[in-house]
Amino acid sequence: YSRLEVVRVFLEEANLDPSVTGPNNQTPIQVAYDHEVIKLLIRNGANPLEAQVQNMFPGTPRSQVEDTIIRAMIVGDPACGKSTLVEALKQSTTGMFWNRPPFGAKSINVKPCTAGIIPHEITNSSEFGHVIFFDFAGHSEYYSSHAVVIDCTSISTAPIFVVVVDLSKEEEKIKLRLNFWVQFIENNKPSFVSVPHIVVVGSHYDILTRQDPRHREHKVNIVKRFAADIIRKTSLEFRGFFPINCQKIGTHTDLRNALQKSCR
């Protein structure tokens, strides 16, 4: 299912149904891992929601999805805190100030490992308006479907990209993975009318607080400068680096402010 020309012949000359199932009861798009093959299948009628995506827009035809909806793509390695961050952002946008969780409240009901892409839709938020946070799994087997979802959901409005890196890791490891995700976004983004914004979040900052303050600040500054330097070489607009404890909602003020400005 990843030989583009063979798939093209099956679909366009032999007129095979792209939703046909094999012996394992899976459709071609469910087992395809090549970006171009997945796009070809979608163009020929395959269900894009089967490309490792569950319930992206339940009950809503793609043609009716409003361009005013903000798409925030949350990417990063496995277990770096993406799902916890999304859950915290959801809880912090449930209403006005007096309806928010108390300062320092922890996120709850977060699965330890995301499979595929999980969308979280928030409507009528006083901070973000109408936004969908896409929680992207960090495992490599999902990368091709990630690229397709970025392509298919960014209809005419550039999304906001949030790259999450784990500050508890070694400095060189952080740089390596941060560079990977920035380049992944740069290489897979469609052509937008506006320039996509990118925010970098340093998770597990609470672990760094147990270390010597000088070492902590030195590490944070190095990662911040590195992020600014590599993003400056892309077509993305850098909107800031924010070291946080993903579980402590009360520590997200600067990050939420940055996301709010990008949504506007």
Side-chain angles (χ1 to χ4, degrees):
Y1 292 122
S2 289
R3 296 183 178 181
L4 182 61
E5 292 308 315
V6 174
V7 176
R8 191 189 308 279
V9 169
F10 283 149
L11 293 174
E12 299 178 357
E13 296 185 21
N15 295 318
L16 291 183
D17 183 357
S19 300
V20 65
T21 57
N24 58 0
N25 205 34
Q26 288 184 304
T27 61
I29 198 169
Q30 290 177 313
V31 296
Y33 57 85
D34 181 87
H35 184 192
E36 294 303 319
V37 168
I38 293 174
K39 289 201 296 184
L40 178 63
L41 288 165
I42 291 174
R43 285 196 297 268
N44 282 273
N47 184 0
L49 301 186
E50 293 181 354
Q52 308 293 349
V53 186
Q54 295 80 28
N55 305 318
M56 187 179 300
F57 300 109
T60 304
R62 185 174 296 276
S63 59
Q64 295 181 12
V65 177
E66 298 287 344
D67 287 344
T68 54
I69 299 176
I70 303 299
R71 285 89 170 172
M73 314 292 188
I74 318 296
V75 302
D77 286 352
C80 68
K82 300 184 301 296
S83 299
T84 305
L85 174 61
V86 171
E87 189 64 28
L89 290 172
K90 285 169 56 182
Q91 292 190 26
S92 68
T93 56
T94 54
M96 299 302 287
F97 178 79
W98 50 83
N99 289 327
R100 291 179 187 162
F103 183 89
K106 290 189 175 183
S107 304
I108 55 175
N109 298 326
V110 177
K111 294 183 178 180
C113 184
T114 297
I117 303 170
I118 300 178
H120 302 263
E121 185 171 10
I122 303 173
T123 59
N124 301 319
S125 164
S126 59
E127 291 179 302
F128 306 134
H130 190 171
V131 60
I132 302 177
F133 291 106
F134 290 88
D135 182 5
F136 286 70
H139 299 84
S140 59
E141 56 264 34
Y142 297 113
Y143 290 172
S144 60
S145 61
H146 289 358
V148 172
V149 170
I150 292 173
D151 191 17
C152 294
T153 58
S154 306
I155 302 170
S156 62
T157 304
I160 302 167
F161 293 100
V162 180
V163 179
V164 183
V165 294
D166 185 351
L167 290 178
S168 68
K169 302 295 184 182
E170 295 180 358
E171 186 178 301
E172 291 306 314
K173 174 73 171 180
I174 296 173
K175 289 181 178 180
L176 180 67
R177 300 310 298 166
L178 176 55
N179 183 68
F180 168 82
W181 284 109
V182 170
Q183 295 306 319
F184 179 87
I185 294 168
E186 176 71 5
N187 294 335
N188 289 290
K189 63 177 179 53
S191 298
F192 298 111
V193 176
S194 56
V195 177
H197 292 182
I198 181 169
V199 171
V200 178
V201 172
S203 65
H204 299 146
Y205 182 66
D206 53 309
I207 296 178
L208 288 188
T209 59
R210 305 167 194 168
Q211 302 176 1
D212 179 87
R214 290 174 297 180
H215 172 75
R216 178 179 69 238
E217 295 307 315
H218 175 72
K219 189 173 187 178
V220 167
N221 288 333
I222 285 179
V223 176
K224 181 178 180 178
R225 287 196 301 268
F226 180 78
D229 288 343
I230 60 173
I231 294 172
R232 192 179 297 116
K233 300 174 184 177
T234 69
S235 60
L236 306 167
E237 182 175 336
F238 184 45
R239 303 296 287 183
F241 171 72
F242 303 93
I244 65 171
N245 176 354
C246 291
Q247 290 188 322
K248 296 289 186 178
I249 296 174
T251 68
H252 300 173
T253 301
D254 291 340
L255 171 62
R256 291 203 305 269
N257 288 341
L259 291 176
Q260 182 178 357
K261 291 178 182 178
S262 290
C263 287
R264 290 178 177 176

